[in-house]
């Protein structure tokens, strides 16, 4: 099983190729994909840390169930919310700083209550366990795009 730390190592290994682009795969660069992934990780964990666990309520969402069963995010079907859309081209320094913050945030996950949660725009409320699943799935999705940008040139 891939851990979030292992996924961060993969992100780190791709930072030197941040300017690479392949319009046949994506209109964005490797750097955009990495930046978006790090913005999501850091933003979601920040929400988890500020959540009130007593307020967590599980919600049935068919789209979440479908994605959990297929364990994949379809490409090109959804646009990233503005809060996690990079607004400028990140430099290697920016990416490294966000990566270091993500490492710290991920290390803090173990100390959070199980009903810490964040509200996903499509999946609804995700508790700690479901959030970790989502972060892995989302990061793997963008790393696959990164690998395709790099390798299908």
């Amino acid at each position: 099983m891939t851990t979030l730390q292992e996924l961060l190592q993969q992100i780190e290994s791709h930072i030197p190729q941040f300017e690479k682009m392949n319009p046949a795969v994506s209109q964005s660069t490797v750097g955009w994909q990495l930046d978006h992934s790090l913005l999501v990780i850091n933003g979601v964990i920040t929400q988890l840390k500020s959540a009130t666990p007593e307020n967590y309520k599980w919600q049935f969402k068919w789209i979440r169930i479908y994605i959990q069963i297929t364990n994949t995010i379809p490409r090109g079907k959804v646009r990233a919310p503005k809060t996690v859309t990079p607004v400028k081209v990140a430099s290697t320094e920016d990416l490294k700083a966000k990566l270091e913050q993500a490492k710290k945030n991920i290390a803090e996950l173990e100390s959070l209550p199980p009903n810490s949660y964040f509200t996903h725009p499509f999946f609804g409320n995700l508790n700690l366990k479901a959030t970790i699943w989502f972060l892995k799935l989302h990061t793997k999705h963008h790393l696959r795009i990164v690998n395709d940008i790099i390798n299908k040139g």
Side-chain angles (χ1 to χ4, degrees):
M1 180 167 102
T2 307
T3 66
L4 286 170
Q5 291 89 347
E6 290 168 333
L7 293 171
L8 287 182
Q9 289 172 350
Q10 290 179 44
I11 288 174
E12 187 170 22
S13 74
H14 292 302
I15 289 175
Q17 297 168 300
F18 79 106
E19 292 179 316
K20 189 150 188 170
M21 187 174 190
N22 184 339
V25 174
S26 173
Q27 296 303 307
S28 61
T29 63
V30 165
W32 187 97
Q33 298 288 335
L34 301 178
D35 196 10
H36 169 69
S37 296
L38 292 167
L39 286 170
V40 168
I41 291 167
N42 288 326
V44 166
I45 294 174
T46 297
Q47 288 181 49
L48 280 177
K49 292 191 293 189
S50 66
T52 306
E54 299 79 33
N55 293 341
Y56 170 72
K57 289 191 178 28
W58 184 85
Q59 302 167 305
F60 176 82
K61 296 285 186 172
W62 70 267
I63 189 69
R64 182 187 66 237
I65 303 300
Y66 174 77
I67 298 297
Q68 285 176 322
I69 290 168
T70 62
N71 207 34
T72 187
I73 298 172
R75 278 195 194 174
K77 300 294 180 196
V78 177
R79 295 287 158 234
K82 289 181 182 179
T83 56
V84 290
T85 300
V87 292
K88 63 180 179 72
V89 178
S91 66
T92 56
E93 293 79 19
D94 292 335
L95 292 172
K96 288 177 182 176
K98 289 174 185 174
L99 178 70
E100 289 309 309
Q101 184 61 50
K103 288 177 182 178
K104 290 176 186 170
N105 281 332
I106 288 170
E108 292 179 33
L109 286 176
E110 293 176 14
S111 65
L112 295 176
N115 280 342
S116 296
Y117 71 98
F118 99 102
T119 305
H120 185 277
F122 299 113
F123 299 161
N125 292 338
L126 299 178
N127 66 7
L128 182 60
K129 182 178 178 182
T131 297
I132 292 170
W133 162 81
F134 165 74
L135 289 175
K136 289 181 194 178
L137 178 74
H138 182 267
T139 306
K140 288 177 188 177
H141 170 75
H142 285 282
L143 284 169
R144 277 192 291 275
I145 296 170
V146 165
N147 287 324
D148 286 352
I149 290 171
I150 293 168
N151 297 322
K152 292 185 178 181

